């Protein structure tokens, strides 16, 4: 195993080192649950003429990055810092790094320069754009802007001599580990966390992912190593696998999976969710029932399931004339992530006014979900009501089967 040791850099290619930081404690990344922590990946390139640092780390991890750099060179020897992405988990320590090592230049995209100035109050970056190159001596850095993947400033850096693509947040995953390479970590965990990252960070920009993949291919970017900004990095066969997953996730073709998130007050909506799941299964689809309540099933876990689903059936009670709060939380979050090609339904129980289910139905339609129907039941569902919930699940499953078959 290529182990990350305290205070040491890890070589990933000839004259290229990982000098990032491991954050074992992170559990929330702006609303996205990260139970396995993360890493902030920085890279040191030692060319014959120029020494370059690509991306820095979140502010509290400055010392860790500097120790790792110091295991290879004196940090003051660094000539240039490249900022591929200006979000603070990668620039939080940028100004401190600039003050400590005094590089000749800091390079960022035009939007990156603006973001760095706006967030950090430091306006010293120079602008690079797609097609610009930097000769480090024996290694050439090619810059390619990837606007809105996933911020307006984002760009990647390609080093053809080593066939290393520094992909910033693209292909990132939140996984704290001492095993630097993805293939040295359990494959099921790597795929799960990569998919969860895509669903929660990248999914709204899926059209741009497809464009990026095509542009990279057309530009002859055929990496042997994809060095991202979070989690373990990819080499060899894993690179093709990840790029294939990215294309599949970006296309988001309907699948037979149906996600059924629900909340319940006295068990009635839960009974309906279970009946609906039976209907989904009997239509030949695969239900995934997810109980939502404070602390049970995070919104970002629902997003991960939705990424590879074709159906979304949402169950809500009515509380104070509205959908249940945790359902509103999940739906608002999912709407922002713009999942495409979904068939859905709303169902639930109410006591006397019953606004929750119609609100959810309207919200799903507003998200672009094809709503098959809604089902609103007063108080405790009886046999006929549960049969109707079963039927609703069956109809969602059937509609997905039609779409997949057509
Ligand atoms: Fe890893 Fe967009 O920050």
């Amino acid at each position: 195993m290529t182990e990350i040791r305290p205070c040491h850099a890890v070589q990933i290619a000839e004259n290229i080192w990982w000098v990032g930081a491991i954050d074992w404690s992170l559990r929330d990344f702006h609303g996205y649950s990260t139970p396995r922590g993360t890493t902030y990946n920085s890279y040191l390139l030692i060319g014959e003429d120029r020494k370059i640092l690509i991306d820095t780390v979140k502010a509290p991890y400055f010392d860790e990055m500097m120790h790792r750099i110091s295991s290879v060179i004196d940090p003051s020897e660094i000539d240039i810092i490249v900022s591929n992405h200006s979000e603070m988990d990668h620039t939080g320590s940028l100004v401190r790094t600039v003050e400590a090592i005094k590089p000749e230049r800091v390079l960022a995209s035009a939007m990156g320069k603006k973001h760095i100035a706006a967030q950090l109050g430091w306006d010293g970056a120079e602008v690079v754009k797609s097609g610009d190159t930097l000769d480090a001596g024996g290694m050439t850095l090619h810059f390619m802007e990837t606007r809105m993947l996933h911020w307006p400033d984002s760009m990647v850096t390609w080093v053809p001599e080593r066939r290393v693509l520094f992909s910033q947040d693209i292909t990132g995953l939140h996984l704290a580990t001492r095993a630097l390479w993805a293939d040295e970590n359990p494959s099921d965990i790597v795929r799960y966390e990569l998919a969860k990252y895509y669903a929660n960070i990248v999914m709204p920009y899926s059209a741009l992912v497809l464009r990026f993949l095509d542009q990279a291919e057309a530009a002859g970017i055929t990496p042997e190593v994809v060095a991202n900004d979070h989690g373990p990095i990819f080499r060899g066969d894993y690179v093709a696998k990840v790029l294939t997953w990215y294309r599949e996730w970006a296309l988001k073709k309907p699948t037979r999976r149906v996600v059924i998130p629900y909340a319940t007050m006295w068990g009635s909506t839960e009974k309906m969710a279970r009946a609906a799941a039976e209907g989904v299964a009997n239509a030949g689809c695969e239900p995934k029932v997810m109980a939502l309540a404070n602390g049970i099933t995070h919104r970002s876990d629902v997003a991960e399931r939705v990424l590879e689903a074709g159906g979304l059936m949402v169950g809500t009670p009515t509380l104070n004339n509205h959908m249940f709060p945790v359902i509103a939380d999940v739906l608002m979050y999912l709407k922002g992530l713009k999942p495409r090609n979904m068939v859905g339904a709303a169902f639930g129980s109410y006591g006397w006014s019953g606004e929750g289910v119609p609100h959810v139905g309207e919200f799903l339609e507003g998200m672009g979900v094809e709503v098959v129907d809604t089902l609103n039941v007063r108080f405790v569902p009886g046999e006929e009501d549960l049969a109707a919930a079963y039927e609703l699940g069956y109809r969602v499953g059937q509609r997905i089967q039609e779409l997949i078959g057509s």
Side-chain angles (χ1 to χ4, degrees), residues 196-250:
K196 186 172 177 181
Y197 192 96
Y198 187 98
N200 284 278
I201 300 286
V202 184
M203 186 155 64
Y205 314 108
S206 288
L208 300 177
V209 168
L210 294 173
R211 194 170 77 182
F212 166 69
L213 292 173
D214 290 343
Q215 282 178 340
E217 207 172 289
I221 297 176
T222 52
E224 281 179 1
V225 171
V226 173
N228 51 29
D229 270 2
H230 293 291
I233 66 177
F234 300 98
R235 65 181 169 187
D237 295 344
Y238 234 123
V239 170
K241 230 190 272 188
V242 169
L243 297 181
T244 301
W245 288 334
Y246 252 59
R247 194 175 283 281
E248 285 171 2
W249 293 332

Side-chain angles (χ1 to χ4, degrees), residues 29 85 87 89-90 150 169 197 230:
F29 190 88
H85 178 30
E87 195 164 4
D89 47 334
H90 311 296
H150 71 118
D169 278 350
Y197 192 96
H230 293 291

Side-chain angles (χ1 to χ4, degrees), residues 394-405:
Y394 191 82
R395 286 169 63 199
V396 168
Q398 264 190 330
R399 179 63 185 138
I400 291 171
Q401 295 284 22
E402 276 173 27
L403 291 170
I404 290 176

Side-chain angles (χ1 to χ4, degrees), residues 203 248-254 306-307 309 339-342:
M203 186 155 64
E248 285 171 2
W249 293 332
L251 289 168
K252 203 180 177 316
K253 291 185 178 162
V306 164
L307 173 64
R340 297 185 305 131
N341 299 330
M342 303 291 287

Side-chain angles (χ1 to χ4, degrees), residues 356-384:
V357 166
H359 282 174
V360 168
E362 287 159 20
F363 201 94
L364 288 172
E365 280 176 352
M367 287 170 60
V369 174
E370 180 188 328
V371 176
V372 168
D373 212 342
T374 62
L375 177 63
N376 213 1
V377 168
R378 187 151 189 255
F379 284 117
V380 179
E383 268 182 36
E384 278 185 21

